[in-house]
Amino acid sequence: VSIVASDRNHSVRFGFESERLVLTAQNVDLGNAREEVGASYEGDDFDRYVDESAISARSIAESYSIDDDWAGTGQVVINDQLYFQEQGSGVVVRYDLILGDEVVRRTIPGAGFDHDYDYWWGGFTSMDFSSDGESLFLIHSTASAGGRFVVSELDPLTLSVIDSWTAPSGIKADHSNAFMACGVLYAVDSFYADTTINYAWEVGSSLEWDPSIGWDVFSYLTAANYNPVYGEVFAYDGGNLITFSPSW
């Protein structure tokens, strides 16, 4: 992606490479410059914060390191249990934050991984955990679903699949993110500009609609999840945690 000023001797170029953003600038007066910024959506550690103010203050309550790398931005924590997708596989994992150890792992049959059926922006989020406060869901897709949204309800202890439903028409890769709220899957359109929640599906039914709910993207949206305790959507946007209170 190139941004050119009044002439070709004053330009900026953004190059997207594997796990990095390369920024180069050309200026006849100041010379040329190059900057590389890492952009990884895989890792083997994570941090816990006690509340939102601690996040703002960068006050980490505890850090954890896991044996196998996680992938994507679809992790979720429920009742001191961290759920995540293992890097490079169709395996999902339950990590007990109290024990500080992995307790369950299970392969989700047919589920894509790495860049199989991830969101529009990429980021290895082929599997996206979500919860509406009562159940644990996995948002993903399969070859048999043709890339359409698949929502699987998982047993929160064993991670076995209780049931799965396939959307009538909604394509996962056409959206930047998705989350569950009150039995409905909501999906966000764009990830880099002001956008809308433009897709909703009553899971388990054939009912789909466009709720046209406005969504202000500040920089680069990479994660979104509904928090039933606060009744808000928590999102990660350009390195910032933001909250969003939609009118359903």
Side-chain angles (χ1 to χ4, degrees), residues 144-164:
S144 61
R148 288 174 292 165
F149 279 109
V150 175
V151 173
S152 297
E153 182 180 358
L154 306 184
D155 185 298
L157 296 179
T158 67
L159 296 182
S160 58
V161 178
I162 297 173
D163 208 344
S164 288

Side-chain angles (χ1 to χ4, degrees), residues 169-187:
S169 65
I171 302 296
K172 184 172 181 286
D174 287 347
H175 298 85
S176 66
N177 237 285
F179 56 89
M180 290 289 297
C182 305
V184 175
L185 174 78
Y186 293 94

Side-chain angles (χ1 to χ4, degrees), residues 95-108:
Y95 184 96
D96 192 306
L97 296 176
I98 297 176
L99 298 176
D101 199 9
E102 174 188 308
V103 289
V104 176
R105 59 174 39 238
R106 186 175 297 275
T107 299
I108 304 299

